[in-house]
Structure formats: structure tokens, C-alpha cells
Amino acid sequence: MSSSILTNRHDFLLLFEVTNGNPNGDPDAGNMPRLDPNTNRGLVTDVCLKRKVRNFLELFPATRDSATDNGFNILIKQGAVIETEQKKGELAAAESLPKDASDSKKAEAAKNWLCREFFDVRTFGGVISTGDGVLKGSAFGQVRGPVQFTFGQSLHPITPLEVTITRCAVTKEEDAKKERTMGNKHIVPYGLYAAKGYVSPAFAEKTGFTQADLDVLFQALLSMFEHDRSAARGEMIVRGLYDFEHVGTQHANNADQNRREARLGCAHAHKLIEGVQVSLSDEAKASGKCFPESFADYSVVNTWTTDNLPKGVKLHLRHEGQDIAIGPRQS
Amino acid sequence: MNTANLITLRIWGDFACFTRPEMKVERVSYPVLTPSAARGILEAVFWEPQMYYLIDSIRVVKRGRWISIRRNEVTRVISLDSAKTWMHSPDKVSPIHAGGGAEDGTQRNMLALQDVEYLITAEVRLTPLAQPPRDNLAKYLREIEGRARAGKCFHRPGLGMREFAADFDWEPDADAALARRTAELGPSAAPINEPLGLMLYDLFDHRARAAGFRWLTPDEEARQASDFDQTLLELKKGEQTKRRKEFGANRQRSTAAVIKPHPLFFQANLKNSRLDCHPDRVLGPIQGGN
């Protein structure tokens, strides 16, 4: 694993599907699947996706090579997850500062320690209270993480259903004499969702986010639904993780210039992401379907090849394996 | 004002929330992009202490639709004091509990915009730190254009919030771009004429920022510390510690004076889909105090 700070910009597209489940309940609508009332397309919030990443890492923390390397503890935990007491001891204590170190040096050391120990602070950022009157609420108290997710949106309108179930285990004590009670849950029969993500190296430098951390994040994104199974969630599967890495347009000899270019990026993110085209498959159209019933009704076409990918960009097909990539274009 | 120093970027995104300061807990967005959000987007693409932006005008291509989103958020922030304790005794770490029903979690609503597109026109000015001929306006205009055309950015810009990422592109002419996009969008893009009332301009007086700043070099910081130590030699030990603490809290890390947040408001008026917001025209003489 490489422990070098991330230097290349990444833009990624995550495609995931739900079958007979509720990917993200809407507290405004009695926990119905989130629905955009203007277009009837389904929504999954950024916080929902980040929660899955955090929960996955709590279950499978990446191995830490040494106490001075980045740790993989999670600071913002889900209330329902049983607290993993045994992991607390693994936190490494900080190297000590001289007693008369200034307050701002101590604050900086504490901030760096938080970023080093907690994967979620290092990746997604967080708000730190400084207690200082003037600076309270200012950018000083903010750790901006290099990774940002957008909302996931379904590619077609979804039709949420309410299904009634009978429960053999009653939930209320006064119902104890009844053998069963009725309950209900909400499902989306089928929906394919797309969410975008961006990784900014300028913030990676601030929080110490490394290439290894990014690999861990992609691993988490690919596996997060596998370990989040529940009756409510139905079947959720990641169908695509297209990771556009900006590597620089110069010859490999010119590493310095390449690093400068890769930090800012080499192409428009929206153009790269639009190159992955998702539409109804020809078979589905031929059989007169207006909206898809399974992934087989979709055709996902990656139009990027080694020849037409913008210069200086490498496309990793993370869902197909660790080292499967297209580009960068050679000339 | 020199119109040759104007740049225009077209920006768009799926969602946006330009939070009104009077409703910031359960966020409610302004109906259109604010000048300070526009400035943030430009600075995400390119910024240097030798220059700064004044937002000249905002043209609304797609106004967007309102959408209400309720999410789980956390109420607790990470306490720096706790972190100082945790780093020496890791067994004391207390995580933040988020999610439904958890002690640190809460549900908050947000009234956001969906499917928006704007044209930001800004004037680029130099700060006193610019050293001509090396730092000149033509160089910065070229650099901004190059970045915007190639999709390069220092960090991903956002439409009011980081999860509402923005895409951007260069436009050589704002009026032509508005006409082109209006024609492409068809009847849904009728010109908007609407007084929007009082809108947040920015969190500080732009003249306070016009001075620019640079971080002190390690040498300068060391010199500052050693100069300070000289002043302590004659004092008693207790007094020395006290002064040191004060010094640590007030130590300069950049050449800039600390700018106290000072919110400025202006009367926002959409005329033919254009929101005029150059500070020289809309703010008038800036009043002191709050």
C-alpha cells in the first residue's frame, strides 16, 4: 500500500440498483423511498451513501501498517451499530509537543491527529469547534475533506409500492396475545441510480488523504451494499464505478508538470461522466417497455476508448477489477 | 470600471441551496445564486492572493424548481479540546452518534433548488501584492480562461453546499450565451423580471479583502518568535508564561489583518434574467458597523 498523499484529481460515477427494496427512506413521507416530486425520479442522499461507507469500514477496517500511518477508525457512528469497544485501544497516541508550545500549535496537532486517526474526518471532512469568539463558525473550524458525493438520482421514474406484511413477532406488549400483527413496508420494484463523486487533491494535502485511502474508499463503495442487507433494503447491487483519474498530458519524463496538471485535472468532469451512457436497451424498447424492470432492460455503454479519451485522463473500471483501466491516450 | 477585465463562466448543477442567513438551521435557499456563492465558485476554479473577483452580474438561465429534502444531520461538532485529550489517552474517545433517534443526530429540512444554471460575470482586479510586470491582469485573465475551458479547478465548486457539485465552462460573451441557451431551452426559459428583496451580498467588505495577503514564510515566523523572546528577557517567570500564551493566541500567520465577518446586504432585482451586483453599483457607500 502506498502512503503517499493523493496528487491526482478523480471524478467518479457510481451506478447502483435496487430491486424490491427501499434504498433511502424519506422521513418527510413516512419513510417512503425518496422521490423527487417534480420528475418522479428516485433520490438517495449523499449522507446515505457516506453512512454506508462508514459502516462498511467499521465492519472491515483496513489494516494499519504502523502507528504513524493513517488509521481507519470512524468518528461519526450510526446509533444502531453496536459500538465496537475493542477497537478503541488501537488508536495511536500522539507524539508529544513541548509543554510551552503555543495554543495554535497544539490546536493544529490535535486537528492533524483527528485526520490521521479517523478515516471519515480525513475523507469527508468535518466541523471542529474552536471555541474562539471571532473565528467561531469561520473556515478555520472546518476540515474540508477531499471527497464529495452528490445525491444519487434514478435514471427513470420509480414507482414506490407499499406492501403489507404480517409479522409473527408482535412489537407491542399489549399485542402479546395476538399471534400476528399487520405491518407495512415500502419498496421500489426496480430502480437504477447514478451518483457522482469528486476527489480534490488540494484538500487531500490538508487532511493527509493518501492513494491507499482512495483505494479503501473505492473498495468500500463496491462492497458497501453486500454488508448492509436487510428486509427493508431489498437487493442492492453496485453496477458500475467509473473512476476518471487525471494523470497529466505531458510525457512521463516530465513528472513535475504532470503532477501540476493532474492536481487541477485535464478535462471537464461533466464531459467525462456523460461519456458513460445509460439508456433503455434495444430489447426493452422493442418489447414496448416504458420503464425498466431489471438491469437487463438497461444498456450501459462506455463510449470511452484509448483513442477518444481526453488527453491526460485514465478511466479505471473499478467494478470490473483492481487493474482494469482505459488510457491514458498516448499521443 | 474597465469592461476588458470582465470574465464570464457558465455554471450548472442538479441541486443548489444558497442558504438565507435568517433561516440557516433548517436551510432555506435564496431563489437565485448569491454574489458570495458566485465568488466561491470562481475561487474554486482559480484564485491567487495577487488578484480578487468582484461579481459584476449574474444571469439566470435556469431558475430551477423548489424541492424539500429532510435528512439526518448531526448536532454535535468535533471539539478541539476533547481531541487534545483523546490524542494522549485514546481510551477516552467518544464517537459522535448519528442517525435516527441517536443522541447527536437530528432530522433537518432543507428547501433547495433543483436543476439550475447561471452565467457569472465578474471583474478581475489586482491586489497591492501583485508585482507588475510579472503579475498582470492579462496573465490572470488568460489563466482563468484556460482553466475554465479545460475543466481544471483547484477544488470542485459547489452550488451553496459541497454535495451540490457544480459544472462550469467558459463563455466569451455573457449576453450571447444567455441568448443561445434561452433559444436552446425553448419556451420554459422566458426572461425573468422580479424584485427578490434583500439579499446577502457577502460576509465582508470587499475593500477589506482587496489588500490581499500572503502567508508568512517559516523564516519570518521564526524571526517573529525570536523578536518576541527578546522582549521577555527582563520579566519574571510567571509573567513570561502569561505573555507567551497571549502571543500564541494572537500570533500573526499571514500579512493580513484578521477580517471580522461583516455581512452586507443589497436589494436584489432581476431584470431580463439579469441580477446586477457590482458592489460599486448596488452597495453604494459602505456603512460602518453592523
Side-chain angles (χ1 to χ4, degrees):
Chain A
M1 273 206 180
S2 140
S3 61
S4 54
I5 301 292
L6 182 80
T7 54
N8 296 356
R9 193 181 109 187
H10 288 251
D11 306 312
F12 59 89
L13 172 72
L14 178 74
L15 293 176
F16 58 96
E17 65 169 16
V18 61
T19 311
N20 291 332
N22 185 356
N24 186 198
D26 186 351
D28 259 347
N31 209 35
M32 287 243 298
R34 284 185 193 273
L35 190 68
D36 166 1
N38 296 312
T39 61
N40 268 350
R41 284 160 68 189
L43 290 176
V44 171
T45 60
D46 60 315
V47 284
C48 169
L49 295 171
K50 288 193 269 193
R51 170 52 49 207
K52 303 276 183 284
V53 170
R54 286 185 166 110
N55 285 357
F56 176 80
L57 273 159
E58 268 201 89
L59 285 170
F60 304 100
T63 46
R64 181 179 201 167
D65 296 335
S66 78
T68 53
D69 276 353
N70 282 341
F72 292 92
N73 290 291
I74 296 296
L75 186 62
I76 302 184
K77 300 187 183 220
Q78 186 162 21
V81 169
I82 299 160
E83 213 180 299
T84 40
E85 295 287 342
Q86 73 281 8
K87 267 197 234 121
K88 280 186 172 175
E90 287 174 23
L91 289 154
E95 54 272 38
S96 53
L97 281 170
K99 267 235 160 75
D100 60 345
S102 69
D103 281 0
S104 67
K105 275 258 155 53
K106 280 183 193 157
E108 206 174 306
K111 197 161 129 178
N112 291 343
W113 181 85
L114 281 170
C115 287
R116 201 186 67 204
E117 292 304 313
F118 296 101
F119 179 81
D120 52 346
V121 178
R122 186 165 70 242
T123 307
F124 304 129
V127 182
I128 295 178
S129 76
T130 59
D132 187 308
V134 175
L135 293 172
K136 204 169 181 186
S138 76
F140 186 78
Q142 255 180 35
V143 177
R144 291 191 285 185
V147 178
Q148 64 198 93
F149 288 122
T150 67
F151 279 17
Q153 293 192 83
S154 73
L155 292 142
H156 279 86
I158 55 167
T159 6
L161 298 179
E162 185 173 359
V163 282
T164 305
I165 51 174
T166 47
R167 290 186 294 211
C168 294
V170 296
T171 48
K172 288 190 203 133
E173 205 169 347
E174 65 251 38
D175 292 337
K177 285 199 186 112
K178 300 181 187 166
E179 273 180 20
R180 314 187 166 88
T181 54
M182 304 293 274
N184 56 0
K185 61 178 187 175
H186 300 279
I187 60 165
V188 177
Y190 181 77
L192 182 67
Y193 290 71
K196 289 172 273 186
Y198 303 92
V199 190
S200 304
F203 295 155
E205 291 155 21
K206 294 263 163 62
T207 66
F209 184 83
T210 64
Q211 182 64 49
D213 288 330
L214 188 70
D215 294 341
V216 167
L217 176 77
F218 283 133
Q219 192 50 51
L221 284 173
L222 288 172
S223 320
M224 58 190 180
F225 295 129
E226 314 276 335
H227 303 278
D228 186 53
R229 301 259 182 247
S230 79
R233 213 82 67 210
E235 201 176 349
M236 294 191 71
I237 300 170
V238 171
R239 288 295 188 173
L241 182 49
Y242 297 85
D243 164 29
F244 296 92
E245 181 179 15
H246 299 257
V247 293
T249 59
Q250 307 294 315
H251 190 269
N253 294 343
N254 202 348
D256 268 2
Q257 180 64 22
N258 269 335
R259 201 170 312 123
R260 272 196 292 274
E261 281 188 11
R263 183 163 180 256
L264 298 172
C266 304
H268 280 288
H270 67 276
K271 286 195 181 142
L272 295 174
I273 288 171
E274 280 163 11
V276 181
Q277 293 168 357
V278 188
S279 55
L280 279 184
S281 68
D282 292 339
E283 293 85 0
K285 273 187 233 155
S287 63
K289 277 185 191 170
C290 315
F291 58 92
E293 289 160 22
S294 75
F295 192 63
D297 292 340
Y298 270 111
S299 85
V300 180
V301 181
N302 172 25
T303 59
W304 296 120
T305 63
T306 319
D307 299 320
N308 69 4
L309 201 63
K311 252 186 114 183
V313 178
K314 188 175 178 186
L315 167 57
H316 300 268
L317 304 170
R318 299 275 177 193
H319 52 286
E320 287 184 11
Q322 188 66 49
D323 296 317
I324 298 182
I326 297 173
R329 207 166 85 194
Q330 287 309 317
S331 58
Chain B
M1 190 190 63
N2 186 353
T3 50
N5 301 340
L6 292 182
I7 55 148
T8 299
L9 254 64
R10 186 167 67 91
I11 56 152
W12 66 97
D14 292 334
F15 296 93
C17 182
F18 311 109
T19 309
R20 307 181 78 108
E22 67 268 33
M23 289 177 271
K24 63 175 190 177
V25 174
E26 298 221 87
R27 300 179 197 91
V28 175
S29 175
Y30 278 113
V32 301
L33 178 76
T34 62
S36 55
R39 177 180 58 78
I41 289 169
L42 297 181
E43 286 174 354
V45 176
F46 177 82
W47 181 77
E48 256 185 33
Q50 286 85 353
M51 48 77 70
Y52 66 102
Y53 297 102
L54 290 180
I55 305 300
D56 177 85
S57 56
I58 292 165
R59 286 172 178 78
V60 181
V61 181
K62 276 198 225 164
R63 194 176 174 166
R65 305 175 294 260
W66 291 102
I67 183 170
S68 156
I69 300 156
R70 188 180 291 269
R71 295 185 296 183
N72 284 317
E73 298 186 8
V74 287
T75 51
R76 211 173 108 193
V77 296
I78 308 162
S79 152
L80 205 55
D81 286 336
S82 311
K84 284 178 193 161
T85 314
W86 297 348
M87 58 196 272
H88 295 292
S89 29
D91 52 307
K92 289 194 180 133
V93 169
S94 70
I96 295 177
H97 293 279
E103 51 188 311
D104 304 320
T106 184
Q107 288 185 345
R108 277 190 191 148
N109 197 50
M110 162 166 64
L111 197 56
L113 295 164
Q114 192 181 11
D115 196 18
V116 295
E117 182 174 334
Y118 308 103
L119 293 153
I120 304 173
T121 306
E123 185 191 343
V124 183
R125 282 195 193 169
L126 294 179
T127 67
L129 289 180
Q131 294 178 343
R134 196 195 58 183
D135 306 323
N136 57 64
L137 270 173
K139 177 181 106 172
Y140 291 121
L141 295 173
R142 225 174 19 249
E143 178 67 20
I144 297 161
E145 178 175 351
R147 284 205 188 178
R149 278 191 191 278
K152 294 172 184 287
C153 56
F154 179 72
H155 65 86
R156 176 61 30 190
L159 294 160
M161 303 182 71
R162 289 198 69 202
E163 54 268 43
F164 300 157
D167 287 312
F168 58 92
D169 207 344
W170 176 260
E171 290 290 348
D173 181 337
D175 282 319
L178 183 63
R180 188 191 78 230
R181 289 294 295 143
T182 309
E184 281 167 7
L185 291 169
S188 66
I192 309 163
N193 289 293
E194 192 181 321
L196 300 173
L198 214 53
M199 185 187 251
L200 179 70
Y201 192 83
D202 210 329
L203 293 174
F204 47 79
D205 180 348
H206 73 272
R207 288 173 312 188
R209 215 159 175 254
F213 74 91
R214 62 180 179 80
W215 300 106
L216 294 182
T217 62
D219 282 353
E220 285 170 321
E221 284 207 49
R223 202 173 320 130
Q224 194 190 349
S226 68
D227 286 354
F228 172 75
D229 283 343
Q230 289 293 320
T231 65
L232 292 182
L233 291 175
E234 321 237 305
L235 296 169
K236 286 196 203 114
K237 240 197 168 152
E239 186 72 6
Q240 281 191 8
T241 321
K242 199 179 139 208
R243 291 281 184 90
R244 238 187 219 117
K245 267 221 136 118
E246 280 172 16
F247 174 70
N250 302 323
R251 193 171 56 108
Q252 288 253 308
R253 313 193 72 189
S254 75
T255 58
V258 174
I259 301 174
K260 226 180 163 177
H262 173 209
L264 296 168
F265 290 85
F266 75 114
Q267 284 291 341
N269 218 339
L270 263 179
K271 278 188 194 137
N272 269 326
S273 302
R274 180 175 173 274
L275 179 67
D276 189 16
C277 43
H278 195 285
D280 293 349
R281 295 193 297 267
V282 298
L283 286 182
I286 289 172
Q287 318 83 354
N290 280 323

